[in-house]
Amino acid sequence: MRKRHPKAASDSSSEPSSSTQQTDNNNDVLLDKKVVDVRRSGKTWFSVLILIIYSSWAVYNHQHGNLPRPLTAKQAGKRGFSEIQAMKHVTALTQFGPHPVSSDALVHALEYVLGEVEKVKETAHFDVDVNVDFFESKSGVNRLVGGLFKGKSLVYSDISHIVVRIMPKYESEAGENAILVSSHIDTVFSTGGAGDCSSCVAVMLELARSVSQSAHGFKNSVIFLFNTGEEEGLNGAHSFITQHPWSSTVRLAVDLEAMGAGGKSAIFQAGPSPWAIENFAMAAKYPSGQIMGQDLFTSGVIKSATDFQVYREVAGLSGLDFAFADNTAVYHTKNDKIELIKPGSLQHLGENMLAFLIRVGSSSDLPKDKTVQTSSSDAAIYFDILGKYMVVYRQNFATMMYVSVIMQSMLIWVMSCLMGGYPALVSVMLSCLSFILAWIFSVAFSVAVAFILPWISSSPVPYASYPLMTIGLFVSPAVLGSISGQHLAFSFLRKKPSNRNSNNKELSPRLRDNLAKLEAERWLFKAGFIQWFVLLVFGTYYKLGSTYLALVWLVPPAFAYGLLEATLTPIRFPKPLKLATLVISLAVPILVSAGGFIRLAGTLIGMLIRFDRNPGGTPEWLGNVVVAVVIATFVSLTMVYLLAYIHLSGSKRSIVTALCIITALSLALVASGFLPAFTEDTARAVNVVHVVDTSGEEQASFISLFSNTPGNLNVEAEQIKEGFRCGRDNKVDFVSFETKYSCVSKKDAEVGWDKSDVPVLRVVNEEKGGEGDERRIIGVSMETGGSSRWILGIDMEVVEDFTLQVGEEEEDEELMIGRGEKSSGQEGWHQIQFSGGKKAPTKFVLKLYEKKGDERKKKMQRPVLKLRTDFDRITPQVKRVLERLPTYCSQFGKSTSPFTLAFLASLPYTK
């Protein structure tokens, strides 16, 4: 073998070193040139943004707007469900006009429903028994421990219901195990109630007809309860549960409700047992429901109540609560019309309910032990995907899954910090700062607009009739705020030294700066992991049903990042984030949650029509602030991944400019008044009440004009031209609430009422308690002047216990013996709210057990009792005001608001 010369060998060995150094320098130059321009194409970013917006809106439309085709009776057949037939019932019921409790119209509505169920009985399958009961309740009292009516005593008498039981003739135990399907016939005084809840009653009538043809194969019975008194405090459901003999056979309860008109009827309450929702998910053709609504409803954010509360709380039953939620702005107003019920709405609910009833009616596993049903330790988490599939899993499984993800995430981050050292820990902290700043700026910018609106518009809620205006008024500033917050964090992250490049002295300053930008972009993206991780921990700790959303927004993006972006060594230089990472990250979250988020925002905007529960009691800007904070929170949470891409985009300045222009144009549009805040179809909630106040030294008769919609009534009062004085000094105490702002007319003559209508409170006797009881017992006679609807306030600072006797005869029933609880938010007052039918008593006897402590009593200046009685009667003065009321206004009814004629009386404290 030939030997090489030592010098040549030496020269040869030195060549690779020189060559390697030259190659490295060339690579640095190439890398420098390659990474100099790290900006992403603005057109590409805009394309992705448009794709995400379109996908989100498409998911919403498919999930909430894709309704089945209405079927005729011929197409549905004997055992199917026909919306065309059901809509005939809606038409018939709404033709009676408003039909509140004790009205003639309600009598006609009951007669109509009774006639229809008799037809069901006559045409039922020969192997099916149909029992019809026209049930008139006795006096009763409903004391709920939670929700809207917490602390109140809801008293009722002479309210009528129609109860239908359908069961197989030859199944011996079917009568002892029943599924209850319930809704209410009565409406508030201000609407014919096409949505709330004639549509529900119509669905039940058509379901009863269909079930009567197929129940011969059932193992259980089905009870349809057409109740009245729901609008006055859930009295119909309570009277059935506590007084009707069939109530003891009920094992499962389903309530049909509406908080709007039409659309998909979705489950918004389920449980406590998961059995019903699990079976519904397997049976329903078009399942729809979100536990997010249940979390909001049970938390009290949504101020409302349904009969389902009575079935769950009083009867200890599990079940399902459905509600129509389209057009929430028309709830309890004149605009709750049949025209707003979209074709397919009743078909959707009817087909779902029919499939569910067939499944559970034929089941031998119907829960029979109420102690099992009321256990919430294994409650269900549920949500639908595109209105076609429903995901249901139990709380115990959810907790285990969440904890597993939390532990794995913590392990990954700890290992990352250990591998990356101090710079990695600083980056994590700055990432946390990025989403905190994004949320703060997002909320701040949106809230700033919320405060501006009352100053530039005639209404604090100028977008009520055009909800899409919120995109320019709140969404644009929220996005702008998120970008600003992230930009600050991005600037900090750029300046932070990284162990990826800080030890490499050969890199040019320009290359180091570009690498810092790329690494900052990655940490902004990973900030999304941290924020949803925090929400996952929070939701898991408090066992919130909506915690699954945090999981959905954490796991897919983390998986996409780990698959396409993560590096196994800190030596490799970072690269720009791939657009594929973003698309894969957001695909599942948008599919699962976009529809729910948009629906929630729309519902919240619709609820602003009735936001001010005590007129004038909340600042005008508060409703806007609530909407702004909710929208800003959604934006900052869900756009964290998308906005991480904007900082290296060439369109960043253009986007910020466009957002500013959109916000400015929206504000200019509001200021111009071109788009009215309210229209005839989206009306402002206004009440016109003829008040006769006998509680003072002199009797006063006047018209009170107030609104549950934020904003003053100066424009409306000027148009009515009845000499109204508007302001916060015109307070009227309606017992259930006090108007902090209202318009009051000058004193009127006594027209439209007479002295026999005036309520009377008088002390009839006083006595001492029994042996060892030194309390004074005050007997009070109360006459309501013929009114079957009244609210009484009892001062619990003076009174310790009380009883109420319905009627003045000795044999009349005495109710509510026991300690009186202060009603929520009533400053020491306990409220008794009474509603009754045409034969309800109008005379009552109260026994008040006085508290001890003379010094306290001497200081009391307010009355011991205050009473309001209501009449659904339009006096000449009210008629004149209603005729001149702008068409964009509507009377608004609820259980605590007065009718068009109200009398006020009080009983002063006497020693």
Side-chain angles (χ1 to χ4, degrees):
M1 181 180 289
R2 179 185 174 187
K3 281 190 175 183
R4 297 181 63 186
H5 192 278
K7 184 176 180 180
S10 175
D11 291 343
S12 176
S13 65
S14 66
E15 285 177 7
S17 176
S18 175
S19 175
T20 300
Q21 184 176 359
Q22 184 65 32
T23 301
D24 288 344
N25 290 335
N26 291 338
N27 286 341
D28 286 345
V29 172
L30 290 173
L31 184 62
D32 196 11
K33 289 181 179 180
K34 184 178 180 181
V35 187
V36 165
D37 187 10
V38 296
R39 292 191 304 172
R40 189 175 287 106
S41 170
K43 292 180 180 180
T44 304
W45 193 92
F46 268 115
S47 300
V48 174
L49 176 63
I50 292 171
L51 175 64
I52 291 172
I53 294 174
Y54 176 80
S55 301
S56 300
W57 193 252
V59 167
Y60 168 74
N61 279 328
H62 195 83
Q63 187 171 3
H64 297 284
N66 188 23
L67 294 166
R69 181 172 59 90
L71 299 180
T72 64
K74 184 177 180 180
Q75 291 170 328
K78 283 187 176 181
R79 299 183 182 181
F81 184 93
S82 168
E83 176 177 304
I84 304 302
Q85 290 299 109
M87 287 301 292
K88 293 179 181 178
H89 300 313
V90 180
T91 302
L93 289 169
T94 53
Q95 285 177 349
F96 297 126
H99 36 281
V101 172
S102 79
S103 66
D104 292 333
L106 182 58
V107 174
H108 298 321
L110 282 165
E111 290 173 349
Y112 174 82
V113 174
L114 183 60
E116 293 301 313
V117 297
E118 289 291 352
K119 292 178 184 177
V120 171
K121 182 177 181 179
E122 293 172 1
T123 59
H125 190 277
F126 57 85
D127 280 339
V128 174
D129 271 338
V130 178
N131 308 124
V132 178
D133 182 26
F134 187 82
F135 176 60
E136 294 179 310
S137 73
K138 300 181 294 183
S139 299
V141 57
N142 184 6
R143 302 278 302 266
L144 298 173
V145 298
L148 185 65
F149 298 107
K150 179 181 179 181
K152 293 184 179 180
S153 297
L154 307 171
V155 185
Y156 54 86
S157 181
D158 185 44
I159 52 177
S160 303
H161 322 305
I162 296 168
V163 193
V164 182
R165 182 172 63 180
I166 303 175
M167 60 183 180
K169 280 185 179 180
Y170 305 110
E171 186 69 38
S172 58
E173 295 186 359
E176 297 302 315
N177 301 293
I179 301 106
L180 176 68
V181 182
S182 170
S183 191
H184 62 95
I185 303 175
D186 63 309
T187 70
V188 293
F189 79 97
S190 55
T191 179
D196 186 18
C197 211
S198 295
S199 59
C200 310
V201 172
V203 168
M204 285 175 56
L205 286 171
E206 180 64 4
L207 283 173
R209 182 204 59 77
S210 179
V211 170
S212 71
Q213 301 298 323
S214 55
H216 55 281
F218 284 13
K219 296 180 180 179
N220 309 296
S221 57
V222 179
I223 296 175
F224 292 93
L225 171 61
F226 303 87
N227 71 63
T228 65
E230 191 273 349
E231 297 291 6
E232 299 299 332
L234 318 181
N235 296 329
H238 187 272
S239 62
F240 171 80
I241 288 297
T242 57
Q243 298 181 21
H244 199 281
W246 293 348
S247 65
S248 61
T249 68
V250 176
R251 307 297 176 221
L252 191 73
V254 179
D255 181 49
L256 307 184
E257 257 297 351
M259 57 181 299
K264 287 189 175 182
S265 182
I267 296 172
F268 69 104
Q269 290 190 96
S273 168
W275 191 88
I277 187 68
E278 288 174 345
N279 278 271
F280 176 82
M282 289 185 281
K285 191 174 181 180
Y286 316 104
S288 181
Q290 295 285 340
I291 198 171
M292 180 167 53
Q294 179 171 316
D295 285 343
L296 293 172
F297 200 83
T298 55
S299 67
V301 172
I302 298 177
K303 301 291 184 181
S304 189
T306 71
D307 286 336
F308 189 70
Q309 181 181 355
V310 173
Y311 301 138
R312 185 183 58 219
E313 186 178 308
V314 178
L317 295 168
S318 282
L320 305 173
D321 201 3
F322 292 82
F324 291 108
D326 271 15
N327 305 299
T328 54
V330 307
Y331 177 74
H332 283 191
T333 70
K334 66 179 183 181
N335 292 319
D336 186 0
K337 301 174 182 177
I338 194 171
E339 293 81 7
L340 290 180
I341 300 177
K342 297 176 183 176
S345 299
L346 305 194
Q347 193 71 39
H348 174 265
L349 175 59
E351 290 197 34
N352 281 343
M353 277 298 301
L354 183 58
F356 174 69
L357 290 177
I358 290 173
R359 180 180 179 87
V360 298
S362 306
S363 174
S364 56
D365 299 326
L366 190 67
K368 297 179 176 62
D369 187 358
K370 291 184 180 180
T371 58
V372 175
Q373 294 192 57
T374 54
S375 173
S376 59
S377 60
D378 203 18
I381 311 299
Y382 58 92
F383 57 92
D384 72 276
I385 300 176
L386 297 179
K388 289 190 174 182
Y389 312 98
M390 178 163 278
V391 178
V392 181
Y393 53 91
R394 301 199 176 190
Q395 181 69 57
N396 290 343
F397 172 77
T399 301
M400 290 189 295
M401 180 170 55
Y402 299 157
V403 170
S404 174
V405 172
I406 290 170
M407 297 304 294
Q408 292 181 48
S409 301
M410 291 182 65
L411 179 62
I412 291 172
W413 282 331
V414 168
M415 291 179 63
S416 298
C417 289
L418 289 175
M419 292 177 62
Y422 175 74
L425 182 61
V426 173
S427 297
V428 170
M429 295 176 64
L430 289 175
S431 295
C432 294
L433 179 64
S434 72
F435 72 77
I436 292 173
L437 288 175
W439 181 81
I440 291 175
F441 277 74
S442 182
V443 170
F445 285 20
S446 293
V447 168
V449 173
F451 279 110
I452 292 173
L453 290 179
W455 293 93
I456 64 173
S457 172
S458 58
S459 170
V461 285
Y463 48 86
S465 57
Y466 297 94
L468 287 178
M469 284 186 63
T470 55
I471 295 175
L473 294 174
F474 298 126
V475 176
S476 291
V479 175
L480 187 61
S482 290
I483 293 173
S484 302
Q486 276 200 358
H487 178 75
L488 284 178
F490 182 77
S491 301
F492 294 145
L493 285 165
R494 279 182 58 187
K495 298 175 182 178
K496 177 193 70 65
S498 170
N499 61 348
R500 289 180 186 267
N501 54 54
S502 57
N503 296 326
N504 193 336
K505 305 299 183 181
E506 303 298 325
L507 299 179
S508 67
R510 181 172 54 181
L511 179 56
R512 289 188 186 182
D513 183 58
N514 287 332
L515 291 175
K517 289 179 181 179
L518 293 172
E519 193 166 352
E521 179 187 56
R522 288 171 171 263
W523 279 110
L524 289 180
F525 188 88
K526 288 186 281 188
F529 305 161
I530 301 173
Q531 73 171 17
W532 288 109
F533 172 80
V534 171
L535 291 176
L536 182 64
V537 172
F538 179 86
T540 302
Y541 180 81
Y542 287 101
K543 294 186 177 180
L544 299 178
S546 302
T547 305
Y548 78 92
L549 291 170
L551 190 72
V552 166
W553 281 87
L554 170 62
V555 174
F559 171 79
Y561 185 88
L563 180 67
L564 300 176
E565 304 290 352
T567 57
L568 300 178
T569 171
I571 299 176
R572 293 178 58 184
F573 289 140
K575 297 179 180 179
L577 292 173
K578 302 177 180 67
L579 289 177
T581 305
L582 181 63
V583 173
I584 296 174
S585 296
L586 297 183
V588 173
I590 288 175
L591 185 68
V592 172
S593 62
F597 285 159
I598 296 173
R599 167 49 65 95
L600 178 59
T603 301
L604 185 61
I605 293 169
M607 290 174 62
L608 286 179
I609 295 293
R610 54 189 184 276
F611 180 79
D612 201 351
R613 298 188 63 82
N614 294 311
T618 56
E620 291 185 348
W621 45 262
L622 184 59
N624 287 331
V625 169
V626 171
V627 173
V629 170
V630 170
I631 290 177
T633 300
F634 282 167
V635 166
S636 61
L637 288 176
T638 59
M639 296 193 72
V640 60
Y641 300 117
L642 173 64
L643 295 183
Y645 281 68
I646 197 176
H647 302 283
L648 297 183
S649 170
S651 60
K652 185 175 181 179
R653 183 172 299 177
S654 301
I655 293 169
V656 171
T657 303
L659 290 172
C660 292
I661 292 173
I662 292 172
T663 304
L665 288 176
S666 300
L667 290 172
L669 192 61
V670 168
S672 69
F674 180 74
L675 297 177
F678 308 102
T679 63
E680 192 169 352
D681 295 327
T682 305
R684 180 177 189 179
V686 174
N687 284 77
V688 181
V689 184
H690 189 153
V691 180
V692 181
D693 189 356
T694 65
S695 59
E697 295 181 1
E698 294 184 3
Q699 182 173 285
S701 174
F702 56 90
I703 304 297
S704 176
L705 181 70
F706 57 88
S707 175
N708 290 101
T709 308
N712 63 58
L713 290 164
N714 294 335
V715 174
E716 290 79 3
E718 184 177 346
Q719 183 168 335
I720 294 170
K721 297 179 180 178
E722 284 289 321
F724 279 103
R725 295 179 293 102
C726 300
R728 294 189 172 274
D729 54 340
N730 300 322
K731 296 181 180 179
V732 182
D733 186 355
F734 284 107
V735 183
S736 58
F737 65 90
E738 182 181 48
T739 57
K740 305 295 184 181
Y741 171 93
S742 66
C743 299
V744 175
S745 71
K746 58 185 178 181
K747 293 184 179 180
D748 274 307
E750 298 179 359
V751 179
W753 59 276
D754 55 46
K755 292 184 179 179
S756 63
D757 296 326
V758 178
V760 177
L761 292 168
R762 63 175 180 270
V763 177
V764 292
N765 60 65
E766 295 184 17
E767 57 184 273
K768 290 289 186 181
E771 185 176 350
D773 187 357
E774 299 182 357
R775 296 180 302 174
R776 185 171 61 149
I777 303 175
I778 306 171
V780 179
S781 172
M782 183 174 73
E783 299 179 11
T784 63
S787 172
S788 58
R789 186 183 193 259
W790 50 264
I791 296 181
L792 178 71
I794 303 176
D795 186 358
M796 300 311 296
E797 300 293 338
V798 173
V799 177
E800 185 173 15
D801 297 312
F802 60 85
T803 64
L804 174 69
Q805 180 178 310
V806 181
E808 289 188 319
E809 304 299 329
E810 291 184 2
E811 64 271 14
D812 288 329
E813 188 176 2
E814 193 172 52
L815 303 173
M816 296 186 303
I817 300 175
R819 184 173 181 81
E821 180 184 353
K822 298 176 184 178
S823 299
S824 177
Q826 295 301 318
E827 298 180 353
W829 294 90
H830 180 86
Q831 289 182 13
I832 303 176
Q833 185 171 320
F834 180 87
S835 174
K838 287 186 170 296
K839 295 183 290 185
T842 58
K843 295 181 180 181
F844 306 84
V845 176
L846 278 160
K847 283 185 181 179
L848 307 177
Y849 294 79
E850 188 180 52
K851 276 185 178 179
K852 297 179 182 180
D854 291 335
E855 293 302 318
R856 174 188 290 272
K857 298 169 194 170
K858 289 178 182 178
K859 297 179 182 179
M860 299 304 297
Q861 299 295 323
R862 62 187 186 184
V864 66
L865 298 176
K866 54 183 184 180
L867 172 68
R868 188 193 87 213
T869 60
D870 296 332
F871 292 86
D872 189 11
R873 185 192 308 166
I874 296 180
T875 64
Q877 299 93 320
V878 170
K879 182 179 180 181
R880 193 165 58 245
V881 173
L882 290 176
E883 288 174 347
R884 298 177 181 179
L885 196 66
T887 56
Y888 62 78
C889 293
S890 169
Q891 293 265 71
F892 178 73
K894 59 179 181 178
S895 62
T896 56
S897 62
F899 284 168
T900 48
L901 176 60
F903 291 84
L904 304 178
S906 63
L907 182 69
Y909 173 76
T910 56
K911 300 178 185 178

